[in-house]
Amino acid sequence: MKYPNDVKSPKNIDRNSSNYRIKIGSLSDDEDDADKVDSPIYKTPKVSNHRKTGVSAESMDPNVLKEQMQHITKIKKSPEVTETLLHVVSNSPLLRALDNEQKDMIVQAFNGPILIEKDTDIIIQGDIGDIFYLIESGSVDVYVEKQGLVHTYIAGDSFGELAIMYNTPRAATCRAKTNCKLW
């Protein structure tokens, strides 16, 4: 719910109500004139006085995780590509805390490479994020609405993990600055 743009003075607030009311259109400095105006009344949204609740998740049993890891898809890659991907995974905020065995399994599961042509949008700001990318070659420009170009990723960087980590829409549009090879 948006607040009205034409409310300019605290004199427009009726604090005698259990829910504050703002008299829209009463912009006069004279309080008597404000009471005489026939205008719609905007009710402010109710605000809960309760504390926010925490977010919880199911505990992870290491034995169950090991069982699940046995079913991860494995895609063969050359030793050079595997080494490059391991290096990028080790620098990713999303994956760097994994142990070496887990990082190796993630690299084996990477699908690709994906070849992207110059000026192609890879991620669009506001979209739901369920994939993140590792750049093997090329560069990707990052654009934020109303700010323009804010960053450029190069070979060895990763992008797109924030929407997955925080379960939020994509925060920026990522566009291939050059032809790219992504995983």
Side-chain angles (χ1 to χ4, degrees):
M1 185 176 288
K2 290 187 176 181
Y3 288 92
N5 292 332
D6 59 348
V7 177
K8 297 181 181 176
S9 168
K11 295 176 186 175
N12 298 333
I13 299 174
D14 177 8
R15 290 189 169 86
N16 296 326
S17 171
S18 61
N19 193 9
Y20 289 149
R21 299 184 314 165
I22 301 172
K23 296 178 182 177
I24 299 173
S26 57
L27 302 177
S28 171
D29 289 336
D30 184 2
E31 287 184 20
D32 293 335
D33 289 343
D35 292 336
K36 294 178 186 175
V37 174
D38 279 339
S39 60
I41 295 176
Y42 175 80
K43 290 187 176 185
T44 58
K46 290 186 178 183
V47 178
S48 173
N49 291 332
H50 302 287
R51 299 180 95 193
K52 290 185 178 181
T53 58
V55 177
S56 62
E58 183 179 337
S59 64
M60 294 189 264
D61 179 5
N63 295 326
V64 172
L65 287 176
K66 286 186 180 183
E67 174 68 28
Q68 290 174 343
M69 291 173 83
Q70 300 303 319
H71 302 290
I72 291 177
T73 302
K74 296 177 182 171
I75 300 169
K76 290 207 175 231
K77 297 168 188 64
S78 71
E80 297 82 24
V81 169
T82 300
E83 189 62 36
T84 300
L85 292 175
L86 278 171
H87 175 72
V88 175
V89 165
S90 296
N91 292 325
S92 167
L94 181 63
L95 303 172
R96 68 175 160 223
L98 298 175
D99 63 32
N100 289 336
E101 180 184 352
Q102 292 169 326
K103 288 177 187 174
D104 188 51
M105 291 186 126
I106 294 287
V107 166
Q108 289 178 28
F110 269 115
N111 190 16
I114 303 166
L115 303 175
I116 305 289
E117 291 183 14
K118 178 182 177 180
D119 296 324
T120 301
D121 286 345
I122 302 162
I123 289 176
I124 298 174
Q125 185 172 348
D127 283 357
I128 301 298
D130 59 354
I131 299 174
F132 82 101
Y133 300 90
L134 303 176
I135 304 174
E136 184 177 332
S137 65
S139 59
V140 175
D141 284 336
V142 181
Y143 297 90
V144 174
E145 195 173 299
K146 298 182 182 176
Q147 292 181 16
L149 178 66
V150 295
H151 187 72
T152 300
Y153 290 112
I154 59 172
D157 288 339
S158 63
F159 63 95
E161 67 270 8
L162 292 178
I164 298 169
M165 289 172 60
Y166 299 112
N167 194 27
T168 59
R170 299 291 191 179
T173 295
C174 296
R175 182 173 299 135
K177 182 176 183 176
T178 62
N179 290 342
C180 296
K181 187 175 186 180
L182 307 177
W183 291 87

